[in-house]
Amino acid sequence: MCRLFGLSSAPRRTHATFWLLDAPDSLSRQSHRDPDGTGLGYFAADGTPCVDKAPVAAFRDRAFAEEARRVESSTFLAHVRFASTGSLQPRNTHPFAQEGRLFAHNGVIEGLDLLDAHLGQDRSLVGGDTDSERFFALVTREIRANGGDVGAGIEHAARWIARNLPVYALNLVLTTPAGLWALRYPATHELYVLQRPAGGQHGTRHLDHSGSEGRMRVHSADLAAHPAVVVASERMDDNPAWRPMEPGELLQVGPGLHTSRRVVLPDPPSHPLTLDDLRPAAAASQQAV
């Protein structure tokens, strides 16, 4: 399934090095199908969102994903995609950028014709074919409608989809230069949070997180001396402080790493989907590999 990773050290800008595919060996390549895209989002010093991404459909794209990418930001967002909707094109590869924010999603939403109709003129925010970017467009519109309140925008958009469309999962991470938000909904996929003190659990170590099967690795020497909050689709090291988010929980990480969390979607989707309900490609994209 898709892998999500978000990190905030805001307001401090830190350096981090990302390998979106951590050079899996030949046996891993033979026994696990390749991802359909990789992407890294971060913010320049002036707050401009930056996205490096590529569909992993050719050797040059795999080389892009395996190459170490050292960047500086106060928040980071990384995604490894297994496609459920949309072709293998850069326009369908996460993260997406809209109105100064970055967004990545793990899940499946169906009924996209209804979502397009609901978006109306805000459908113009969508440059690709995915359910994820349409979901982001709805979040963006709801943020505007709620006076710039990102948490309220996520809540209202997710609630409309949960009431009106068939849903398998809506897990997301959204970042700005100073903030990070994450939603887990419903209980389909896990999402974990780590509030990491400077130096981690031992107090002296840099951050070095690795996902399963070599899908993603993140290293930051700066975080030996500074705290951070991390959100990921899986526990990425042996720190016992990783906490699974509750189904329906919305997490906000603000400047100074102040965190708040609340369950904003306590009820299951009105039209829940199972793996058996999904198209073969979508079902394959949602299973662990």
Side-chain angles (χ1 to χ4, degrees), residues 137-158:
L138 184 57
V139 169
T140 298
R141 184 172 78 186
E142 292 298 329
I143 292 171
R144 273 194 252 114
N146 284 275
D149 186 327
V150 175
I154 293 171
E155 178 181 349
H156 282 80

Side-chain angles (χ1 to χ4, degrees), residues 1 7 11 26 30 32 34 72 85 95-96 103 105-106 114 152 156 161 166 173 177 203 237 246 254 264 275 279 288:
M1 66 180 180
L7 185 151
S26 60
Q30 292 170 12
H32 299 91
D34 283 350
E72 182 185 45
T85 305
F96 303 104
F103 176 96
H105 164 236
N106 175 21
L114 295 177
H156 282 80
I161 290 174
V173 178
D237 65 11
E246 299 294 328
V264 297
L275 282 176
R279 293 170 287 105

Side-chain angles (χ1 to χ4, degrees), residues 38-217:
T38 64
L40 172 63
Y42 53 99
F43 292 88
D46 64 359
T48 301
C50 306
V51 179
D52 296 336
K53 60 185 179 180
V56 185
F59 175 78
R60 64 181 181 275
D61 294 328
R62 173 173 282 282
F64 161 90
E66 290 179 353
E67 178 183 329
R69 316 187 74 76
R70 188 171 189 263
V71 293
E72 182 185 45
S73 185
S74 51
T75 61
F76 302 89
L77 176 55
H79 185 272
V80 175
R81 180 188 186 220
F82 290 86
S84 59
T85 305
S87 58
L88 272 63
Q89 300 289 335
R91 68 176 185 271
N92 292 327
T93 304
H94 307 225
F96 303 104
Q98 293 178 11
E99 299 189 2
R101 307 178 193 96
L102 297 172
F103 176 96
H105 164 236
N106 175 21
V108 178
I109 305 165
E110 294 190 349
L112 298 186
D113 54 340
L114 295 177
L115 181 51
D116 285 343
H118 184 63
L119 283 170
Q121 65 181 10
D122 290 302
R123 179 66 172 78
S124 64
L125 292 165
V126 181
D129 312 311
T130 65
D131 54 348
S132 303
E133 195 178 14
R134 289 171 165 94
F135 181 17
F136 188 20
L138 184 57
V139 169
T140 298
R141 184 172 78 186
E142 292 298 329
I143 292 171
R144 273 194 252 114
N146 284 275
D149 186 327
V150 175
I154 293 171
E155 178 181 349
H156 282 80
R159 184 173 293 142
W160 186 89
I161 290 174
R163 281 198 311 258
N164 294 283
L165 301 180
V167 169
Y168 186 71
L170 296 181
N171 285 14
L172 68 86
V173 178
L174 185 153
T175 56
T176 67
L180 180 152
W181 290 258
L183 174 70
R184 180 190 178 199
Y185 182 76
T188 313
H189 294 317
E190 294 178 323
L191 199 57
Y192 293 90
V193 182
L194 174 64
Q195 293 182 258
R196 186 182 190 273
Q201 66 186 106
H202 302 289
T204 58
R205 296 185 182 176
H206 54 250
L207 179 144
D208 195 352
H209 285 169
S210 294
S212 63
E213 306 299 344
R215 294 305 185 195
M216 189 186 301
R217 183 181 170 203

